[in-house]
C-alpha cells in the first residue's frame, strides 16, 4: 500500500481548492442570469398593465359628454358605474414581487384612472340626487329640463343636501345643479305660500267665505306645479267656493223678496188713481162738439160727440148770421156756446214720466231693478202696465 507523503497531500489539497473555486463561479453566473430574466419579465408585466390602464382611462372618459365633458352621456345607469369600478380595481392592482421594478409610470396611470372614475361616480350621484327633487329626469346627460314639478312631499332639508354638494360650482354641470336646486326651493316656497293663503279660508272646514281671501288663495294655488299638492288645496277651495255661492244665492233671494213685499202695496194703492189720472187729460181740448150754424140765423148743437184726433184744435171764428129780409130773426143773435161732451174720449197716451208698456209685473220688476229704482208706481192703461220711479 502506497503511503501518502507530505508532498502528495499538498498536491491533492490544492486540487480540491481549485475545483471548489471553479464550481462556485459557475453557480454565481447561473444565479445572476436567472435574476436578470425575472426582472425583465416583471418589468414587461408592469408595462403591459400601464397600457391597460391607459386604454381603460380612455374608455372611462367615453362616458362623459363629448361637447360638454362635465356632463355624463345620456341614460347612464347605476349598473354601468358598478361594472366600471370593478374594472378599475382590477387594473390598478399591481402583483406583489420581491423583484424591484420601476413602476413610477404605472403609478401615474393608476392616479389618472382613479381620478376619472371618481368624476364619473360623483357626477352620477349628483345627477341622481337632483333628479330626486323633481318628478322626472331634470338632468339626463347634458339634456336639462327646468320646468318639472317638484317631487311629492319634498322638504327643504333634502334640497339643502344637494346644494351642499355643489357649493363651489366650477363646472357647467355643477352650475346646472345649483340652478335646479334654486328652482326646487322656489316651488317649495310657493307651496308654503299657497298653504298659508288657503288656511285663511279653510282649516279642517270652511272658516271664511270672504271672497277676497278666497281669490287670493286661488291665485296662489294656481301657481303650484306639484299635482298632488295642488289637488288637495283645490279640493279645499272648492268647498269654500260652494259656501260662497250658497250665501250669495240666499242674499239674492232675500233681496228679491224684500223688493216684492215693498212694491205690492204701492201698486194696489196707485192703480185706481192711475186709471183716473190717465183718463182726465183726454177730456181737455179734444171732446168739444163742432157748432153748426144754419142760414136761419140760429145756431143749433147737433148733440153728438165726435171723437177728434189728439192734437190741438184751432178755435174757429164765429160770424153771426145775416138777416134774409123776411120774418125771422132780425137782429144779431149770439152764437150758442158748444156744450162739453159728457162722454170721455180715449186717452192720447201714457202720462209724462212713465215707462212702458209692460205685459207683466215681472217685466216691471226687472226694468226697475236694471235702472236701480228703489220702488215704482204702476199705472194701468188699456190693460197695459206703465211704471214711474218713486
Amino acid at each position: 500500500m502506497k503511503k501518502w507523503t507530505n508532498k502528495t497531500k499538498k498536491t491533492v489539497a490544492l486540487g480540491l481548492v481549485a475545483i471548489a473555486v471553479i464550481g462556485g463561479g459557475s453557480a454565481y453566473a447561473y444565479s445572476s442570469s436567472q435574476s436578470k430574466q425575472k426582472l425583465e419579465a416583471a418589468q414587461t408585466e408592469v408595462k403591459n398593465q400601464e397600457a391597460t390602464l391607459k386604454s381603460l382611462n380612455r374608455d372611462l372618459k367615453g362616458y362623459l359628454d363629448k361637447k360638454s365633458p362635465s356632463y355624463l352621456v345620456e341614460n347612464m345607469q347605476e349598473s354601468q358605474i358598478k361594472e366600471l369600478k370593478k374594472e378599475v380595481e382590477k387594473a390598478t392592482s399591481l402583483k406583489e414581487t420581491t423583484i424591484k421594478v420601476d413602476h413610477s409610470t404605472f403609478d401615474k396611470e393608476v392616479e389618472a384612472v382613479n381620478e376619472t372614475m371618481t368624476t364619473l361616480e360623483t357626477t352620477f350621484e349628483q345627477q341622481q340626487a337632483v333628479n330626486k327633487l323633481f318628478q322626472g329626469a331634470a338632468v339626463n346627460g347634458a339634456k336639462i329640463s327646468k320646468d318639472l314639478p317638484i317631487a311629492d312631499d319634498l322638504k327643504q332639508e333634502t334640497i339643502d343636501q344637494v346644494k351642499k354638494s355643489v357649493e363651489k360650482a366650477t363646472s357647467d354641470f355643477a352650475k346646472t345643479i345649483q340652478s335646479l336646486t334654486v328652482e326646487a326651493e322656489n316651488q317649495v316656497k310657493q307651496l308654503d305660500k299657497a298653504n298659508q293663503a288657503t288656511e285663511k279660508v279653510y282649516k279642517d272646514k270652511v272658516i271664511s267665505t270672504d271672497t277676497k281671501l278666497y281669490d287670493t288663495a286661488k291665485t296662489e294655488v294656481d301657481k303650484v306645479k306639484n299635482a298632488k299638492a295642488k289637488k288637495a288645496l283645490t279640493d279645499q277651495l272648492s268647498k269654500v267656493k260652494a259656501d260662497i255661492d250658497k250665501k250669495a244665492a240666499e242674499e239674492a233671494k232675500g233681496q228679491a223678496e224684500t223688493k216684492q213685499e215693498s212694491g205690492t202695496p204701492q201698486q194696489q194703492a196707485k192703480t185706481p188713481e192711475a186709471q183716473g189720472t190717465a183718463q182726465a187729460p183726454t177730456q181737455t181740448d179734444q171732446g168739444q162738439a163742432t157748432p153748426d150754424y144754419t142760414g136761419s140765423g140760429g145756431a143749433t148743437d147737433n148733440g153728438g160727440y165726435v171723437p177728434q184726433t189728439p192734437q190741438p184744435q184751432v178755435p174757429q171764428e164765429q160770424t153771426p148770421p145775416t138777416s134774409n129780409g123776411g120774418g125771422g130773426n132780425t137782429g144779431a143773435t149770439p152764437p150758442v156756446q158748444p156744450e162739453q161732451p159728457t162722454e170721455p174720449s180715449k186717452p192720447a197716451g201714457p202720462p209724462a214720466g212713465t215707462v212702458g208698456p209692460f205685459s207683466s209685473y215681472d217685466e216691471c220688476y226687472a226694468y226697475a231693478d236694471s235702472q236701480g229704482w228703489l220702488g215704482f208706481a204702476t199705472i194701468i192703461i188699456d190693460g197695459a202696465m206703465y211704471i214711474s220711479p218713486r
Side-chain angles (χ1 to χ4, degrees), residues 187-231:
Q187 289 195 42
V188 169
K189 289 179 180 178
Q190 179 57 46
L191 179 56
D192 289 341
K193 193 174 181 180
N195 277 320
Q196 291 174 10
T198 302
E199 286 178 354
K200 293 181 179 180
V201 292
Y202 188 95
K203 198 170 185 179
D204 296 329
K205 62 180 181 179
V206 177
I207 60 176
S208 174
T209 54
D210 187 300
T211 55
K212 290 184 178 180
L213 293 177
Y214 167 80
D215 290 340
T216 299
K218 188 175 186 306
T219 298
E220 299 302 333
V221 170
D222 287 343
K223 297 177 184 178
V224 174
K225 292 183 179 180
N226 180 276
K228 177 183 176 182
K230 188 172 186 176
K231 184 180 183 304

Side-chain angles (χ1 to χ4, degrees), residues 27-273:
Y28 174 77
Y30 177 78
S31 176
S32 296
S33 176
Q34 291 293 317
S35 297
K36 185 178 181 180
Q37 290 177 0
K38 290 181 180 180
L39 178 61
E40 290 175 351
Q43 195 68 55
T44 299
E45 179 65 24
V46 171
K47 287 186 176 182
N48 289 338
Q49 285 184 274
E50 289 174 5
T52 300
L53 288 172
K54 287 181 179 180
S55 177
L56 178 58
N57 201 19
R58 285 193 297 269
D59 292 342
L60 293 176
K61 290 181 178 180
Y63 289 94
L64 298 172
D65 187 80
K66 292 182 179 179
K67 294 182 179 180
S68 302
S70 62
Y71 295 92
L72 298 174
V73 295
E74 291 185 19
N75 304 318
M76 192 72 174
Q77 301 297 320
E78 185 176 4
S79 58
Q80 291 175 285
I81 295 293
K82 290 181 178 180
E83 288 298 322
L84 292 173
K85 192 171 183 179
K86 288 180 181 180
E87 289 185 34
V88 169
E89 291 175 350
K90 181 179 179 181
T92 55
S93 299
L94 185 64
K95 294 180 180 179
E96 294 184 4
T97 177
T98 56
I99 301 174
K100 295 182 179 181
V101 295
D102 181 13
H103 51 77
S104 58
T105 304
F106 173 85
D107 292 340
K108 291 179 180 179
E109 294 298 333
V110 168
E111 184 177 355
V113 167
N114 284 333
E115 183 178 351
T116 304
M117 189 66 235
T118 299
T119 299
L120 290 176
E121 285 185 286
T122 302
T123 304
F124 183 78
E125 289 172 358
Q126 291 174 338
Q127 177 175 293
Q128 292 294 90
V130 77
N131 283 344
K132 289 180 180 179
L133 302 180
F134 299 92
Q135 295 183 7
V139 179
N140 182 12
K143 184 178 179 181
I144 312 302
S145 300
K146 296 183 178 180
D147 296 326
L148 293 173
I150 56 174
D152 294 342
D153 307 317
L154 180 64
K155 304 298 182 183
Q156 182 63 44
E157 293 78 4
T158 306
I159 301 174
D160 291 338
Q161 292 176 0
V162 181
K163 288 175 65 177
K164 188 175 181 180
S165 68
V166 288
E167 284 180 339
K168 298 179 180 179
T170 57
S171 66
D172 291 340
F173 172 79
K175 291 176 182 178
T176 296
I177 299 300
Q178 279 188 337
S179 67
L180 288 170
T181 57
V182 171
E183 169 63 22
E185 195 170 38
N186 289 339
Q187 289 195 42
V188 169
K189 289 179 180 178
Q190 179 57 46
L191 179 56
D192 289 341
K193 193 174 181 180
N195 277 320
Q196 291 174 10
T198 302
E199 286 178 354
K200 293 181 179 180
V201 292
Y202 188 95
K203 198 170 185 179
D204 296 329
K205 62 180 181 179
V206 177
I207 60 176
S208 174
T209 54
D210 187 300
T211 55
K212 290 184 178 180
L213 293 177
Y214 167 80
D215 290 340
T216 299
K218 188 175 186 306
T219 298
E220 299 302 333
V221 170
D222 287 343
K223 297 177 184 178
V224 174
K225 292 183 179 180
N226 180 276
K228 177 183 176 182
K230 188 172 186 176
K231 184 180 183 304
L233 293 174
T234 300
D235 289 346
Q236 294 176 5
L237 292 181
S238 296
K239 296 176 182 178
V240 178
K241 184 63 167 60
D243 281 8
I244 291 175
D245 292 343
K246 181 180 179 182
K247 181 179 178 182
E250 291 174 350
E251 290 178 352
K253 182 179 179 181
Q255 291 176 357
E257 291 176 349
T258 301
K259 287 182 180 180
Q260 186 175 4
E261 290 173 359
S262 62
T264 301
Q266 295 174 4
Q267 295 165 9
Q268 293 175 349
K270 288 289 182 179
T271 298
E273 178 184 349

Side-chain angles (χ1 to χ4, degrees), residues 315-342:
Q316 297 180 357
E317 184 177 353
Q318 299 176 353
T319 304
T322 59
S323 174
N324 57 9
N329 294 332
T330 60
T333 303
V336 179
Q337 296 296 329
E339 297 179 358
Q340 294 293 333
T342 59

